[in-house]
Amino acid sequence: MHDESTYRQRRTAWWASGIGAAALVAVAALGGCSSSPPGLVESADKKCDTITDRFTGDLAYGKTLGSDDLTKIRKRNTLIRDLRKEIKELPQPDSTADRTALNTWLGKLDAYAKELYTMHSTIPNLKPGMELLVAMTANIVKDSAEEAGAAAKKAGLHSCAHVKRWEYLVPD
């Protein structure tokens, strides 16, 4: 009789823990869905699509970076800063984790814009033989764009995570 009672208690405890685990999985799955206010992700991704179109279109670089690209770099910087400003003005996510992820992305966008500014400021001061400095500066900007893309992905953004072509130079 004692063994039957122990068996029932274990079976009930196992069943209850299974229900509890299932409930936790369901809550985690629902929590994993963006709790961002309606339109935040869509608005950000739409703006990022426009930026990518511009960066690969009229603001695309050629095979090298030089003084001919200063206007493109300045316009790119303006687009990134405008994106950051517009997203900050939208209603923010409710959860602390989602707000943190969004703010991390916005910080990475700011860092990217600062690197674009640095590159814009460096190019006019170059002298012959300083091509390595341009390459290093361009690589820093590329790395900064990739960091912004990774942060966008963590924030639940889709198009904003696709930054691979933002700093693309046409190969030789």
Side-chain angles (χ1 to χ4, degrees):
M1 185 91 143
H2 187 291
D3 290 334
E4 181 67 25
S5 173
T6 303
Y7 170 75
R8 283 187 188 154
Q9 287 174 348
R10 285 184 184 159
R11 188 179 67 180
T12 303
W14 178 80
W15 185 79
S17 67
I19 295 286
L24 284 175
V25 169
V27 168
L30 291 173
C33 295
S34 178
S35 65
S36 296
L40 177 73
V41 171
E42 294 82 5
S43 180
D45 279 339
K46 183 178 177 185
K47 290 175 188 335
C48 286
D49 282 337
T50 300
I51 287 172
T52 299
D53 289 346
R54 295 280 315 271
F55 282 16
T56 58
D58 65 309
L59 298 179
Y61 301 134
K63 291 184 180 192
T64 61
L65 286 170
S67 57
D68 296 344
D69 296 305
L70 289 176
T71 301
K72 292 177 184 179
I73 296 168
R74 185 179 43 76
K75 288 181 179 179
R76 284 173 171 239
N77 190 322
T78 300
L79 286 171
I80 294 299
R81 291 207 181 271
D82 288 347
L83 168 67
R84 186 178 180 282
K85 180 183 174 198
E86 289 174 28
I87 298 305
K88 281 189 75 103
E89 291 173 354
L90 291 174
Q92 299 298 295
D94 293 332
S95 82
T96 302
D98 288 343
R99 272 194 315 276
T100 299
L102 181 65
N103 287 329
T104 297
W105 174 61
L106 292 172
K108 296 293 182 179
L109 277 181
D110 189 46
Y112 173 62
K114 287 177 182 175
E115 293 302 340
L116 281 171
Y117 178 79
T118 298
M119 185 166 63
H120 182 271
S121 301
T122 301
I123 290 175
N125 297 316
L126 295 175
K127 296 182 179 23
M130 297 179 83
E131 293 82 16
L132 182 59
L133 179 59
V134 173
M136 289 173 47
T137 304
N139 201 40
I140 291 170
V141 173
K142 179 180 174 257
D143 289 347
S144 186
E146 289 172 358
E147 289 175 11
K153 186 174 183 177
K154 287 181 182 176
L157 304 172
H158 309 288
S159 297
C160 296
H162 300 292
V163 297
K164 190 166 187 83
R165 297 198 35 100
W166 281 14
E167 295 305 316
Y168 181 76
L169 292 174
V170 177
D172 288 331

